[in-house]
């Protein structure tokens, strides 16, 4: 099978369906070509070792990766970010239309704009396409503040419906997403639940082996959040909740970059919390060495109906790390952690609920190794690449037919 994979997000950025997946497809005899841009997420600055060009072609373990120019932006300006998406879409569309004809097009990120490429490839070249729903649009826009009754939102809603209608197969990351699309009229038989996995499984296994003999100390518990510091994460509530503990009980470190980082740092300085700390952005390949030193991993999202049916990618990577987890997302993500018996759950943006969950963890410190073991076992049995790769192969074969 000849597969054209299109994603604005790709390695060395933290891309779940990224280079490791492409190389695995190649190893099983498939031909894979990737259309992407130059790595810059989440800092909005092009990674070291890369410079923006009109076009750059790399061979990565048998995978042909074509990097295309796009406007680089990670600012709060809606126009700037919109141009970032649109510029990549136009460049990738042109490249796709004049590429060697594939058997199937896999449109990944962002799903709504790469869906245009899939539609036009079907229309002009007769190639079926898969759309991978990592963000449920237009719901994701209302969750970050866009008016629900706005004209633009209605346009996007109709556009997404068109993409779903013409896609040969639709991949979703949660059962909640699947049900939401069925409720919108998408045929159930072409919607496939393929859980996301952590693309750094091998790195995590190495880190865990290197730290196998490390033991937990008796000092302050080290709670760590690693990831984007943006509006969707709504981390002010988490800071308030964990900042209410004495620094001898726990410390909370937030690692990463994002549009809300400076605002959060100012909030901590103004409120005087002495157990809250910030770390710089750490590349995906190195973050697990940092997480290995944590006692509890923290996951939080804004309290929104959309997020209650999603599963943030930190769920998979945190479970794979074999650490106890404090999960405050609500809905399906909370249910997975409860099922795994891998930590404590709380309601999102609920300071008291989070404080109580953290207190339960502190009171049962002797169970942390068991909680971590449970989380990792659940990941390997339900969320790993091995398990979900086979599901994805079925989707690809179905689309190509």
């Amino acid at each position: 099978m000849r597969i054209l994979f299109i994603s604005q997000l790709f390695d060395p950025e933290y891309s779940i369906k990224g280079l490791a997946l492409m190389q695995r497809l190649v190893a099983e005899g498939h031909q894979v070509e990737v259309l992407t841009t130059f790595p810059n997420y989440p800092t909005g600055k092009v990674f070291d070792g890369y410079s923006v060009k009109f076009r750059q072609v790399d061979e990565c373990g048998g995978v042909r990766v074509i990097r295309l120019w796009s406007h680089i932006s990670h600012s709060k300006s809606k126009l700037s970010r919109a141009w970032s998406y649109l510029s990549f879409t136009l460049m990738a569309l042109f490249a796709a239309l004049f590429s060697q004809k594939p058997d199937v097009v896999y449109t990944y990120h962002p799903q709504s704009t790469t869906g245009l490429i899939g539609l036009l490839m079907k229309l002009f070249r007769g190639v079926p396409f898969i759309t991978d729903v990592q963000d449920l649009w237009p719901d994701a826009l209302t969750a970050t503040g866009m008016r629900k009754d706005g004209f633009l939102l209605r346009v996007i809603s109709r556009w997404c419906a068109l993409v779903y209608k013409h896609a040969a197969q639709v991949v979703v990351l949660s059962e909640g997403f699947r049900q939401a699309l069925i409720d919108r009229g998408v045929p159930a038989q072409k919607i496939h639940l393929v859980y996301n996995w952590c693309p750094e499984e091998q790195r995590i296994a190495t880190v865990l082996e290197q730290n196998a003999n490390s033991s937990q100390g008796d000092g302050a518990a080290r709670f760590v959040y690693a990831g984007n510091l943006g509006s969707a994460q709504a981390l002010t509530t988490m800071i308030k909740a964990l900042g209410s503990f004495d620094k001898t009980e726990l410390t909370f470190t937030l690692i990463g970059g994002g549009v809300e980082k400076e605002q959060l740092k100012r909030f901590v300085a103004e409120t005087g919390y002495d157990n809250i700390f910030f770390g710089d952005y750490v590349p995906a390949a190195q973050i697990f060495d940092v997480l290995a030193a944590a006692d509890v991993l923290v996951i939080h999202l804004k309290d929104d109906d959309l997020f209650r049916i999603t599963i943030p990618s930190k769920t998979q990577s945190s479970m794979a790390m074999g650490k106890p987890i404090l999960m405050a997302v609500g809905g399906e993500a909370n249910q997975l952690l409860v099922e795994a018996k891998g930590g404590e759950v709380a309601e999102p943006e609920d300071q008291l609920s989070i404080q109580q969950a953290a207190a339960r963890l502190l009171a049962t410190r002797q169970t942390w190794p068991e909680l971590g073991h449970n989380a990792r076992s659940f990941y390997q049995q339900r969320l790993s690449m091995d398990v979900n790769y086979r599901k994805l192969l079925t989707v690809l074969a179905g689309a190509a037919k």
Side-chain angles (χ1 to χ4, degrees), residues 1 19 36 40 59 78 114 122 173 191-192 196 199 212 221 231 350-351 356 360 381:
M1 198 169 9
L19 185 59
T36 187
N40 65 88
E59 283 288 335
K78 293 179 181 179
T114 56
K122 179 183 177 182
L173 57 78
I191 307 174
H192 304 270
N196 283 341
S231 59
D350 186 326
Q351 183 177 339
Q356 291 172 337
R360 290 194 297 270
Q381 295 167 14

Side-chain angles (χ1 to χ4, degrees), residues 97-276:
L97 289 173
F98 291 94
S99 66
Q100 184 177 343
K101 186 176 180 180
D103 297 309
V104 63
V105 175
Y106 196 123
T107 62
Y108 181 53
H109 177 84
Q111 171 254 337
S112 58
T113 51
T114 56
L116 170 65
I117 304 171
L119 275 171
L120 294 180
M121 286 291 284
K122 179 183 177 182
L123 177 63
F124 291 113
R125 304 191 69 184
V127 179
F129 74 97
I130 296 167
T131 186
D132 193 313
V133 185
Q134 294 287 311
D135 289 304
L136 193 62
W137 285 45
D139 311 61
L141 297 177
T142 61
T144 53
M146 184 175 284
R147 285 178 50 192
K148 293 183 178 181
D149 59 348
F151 171 75
L152 180 59
L153 206 68
R154 292 196 298 271
V155 170
I156 292 172
S157 180
R158 291 172 183 171
W159 165 248
C160 289
L162 190 67
V163 172
Y164 299 141
K165 177 180 179 180
H166 290 282
Q169 306 285 351
V170 179
V171 173
V172 294
L173 57 78
S174 71
E175 180 58 40
F177 275 24
R178 181 178 179 275
Q179 190 57 54
L181 293 186
I182 291 173
D183 292 344
R184 295 174 191 185
V186 182
Q189 64 270 21
K190 75 174 184 180
I191 307 174
H192 304 270
L193 170 56
V194 180
Y195 284 119
N196 283 341
W197 55 82
C198 175
E200 298 285 354
E201 289 179 349
Q202 293 303 313
R203 176 60 188 157
I204 289 176
T206 300
V207 168
L208 293 180
E209 184 177 351
Q210 292 171 346
N211 291 272
N213 297 321
S214 62
S215 59
Q216 294 173 338
D218 297 324
R222 294 161 296 187
F223 283 56
V224 174
Y225 170 92
N228 189 40
L229 308 178
S231 59
Q233 287 71 38
L235 288 163
T236 301
T237 304
M238 184 63 70
I239 289 172
K240 289 180 180 179
L242 299 186
S244 67
F245 289 85
D246 191 271
K247 64 181 178 181
T248 61
E249 294 179 283
L250 71 81
T251 62
F252 180 38
T253 302
L254 300 95
I255 300 169
V259 295
E260 299 288 333
K261 184 172 184 176
E262 293 306 313
Q263 178 180 325
L264 292 172
K265 290 173 74 173
R266 287 194 297 270
F267 174 75
V268 170
E270 290 167 1
T271 50
Y273 293 127
D274 61 358
N275 66 335
I276 309 294

Side-chain angles (χ1 to χ4, degrees), residues 31 55 71 105-106 178 203 280 285 300 343 348 361 368 382:
Q31 292 179 279
R55 187 174 187 268
H71 172 62
V105 175
Y106 196 123
R178 181 178 179 275
R203 176 60 188 157
D280 294 331
H300 185 266
L361 282 167
W368 288 359
R382 294 275 298 277

Side-chain angles (χ1 to χ4, degrees), residues 71-84:
H71 172 62
I72 304 298
S73 173
H74 195 56
S75 71
K76 287 188 176 182
S77 167
K78 293 179 181 179
L79 286 176
S80 180
R81 297 185 76 173
W83 176 231
S84 174

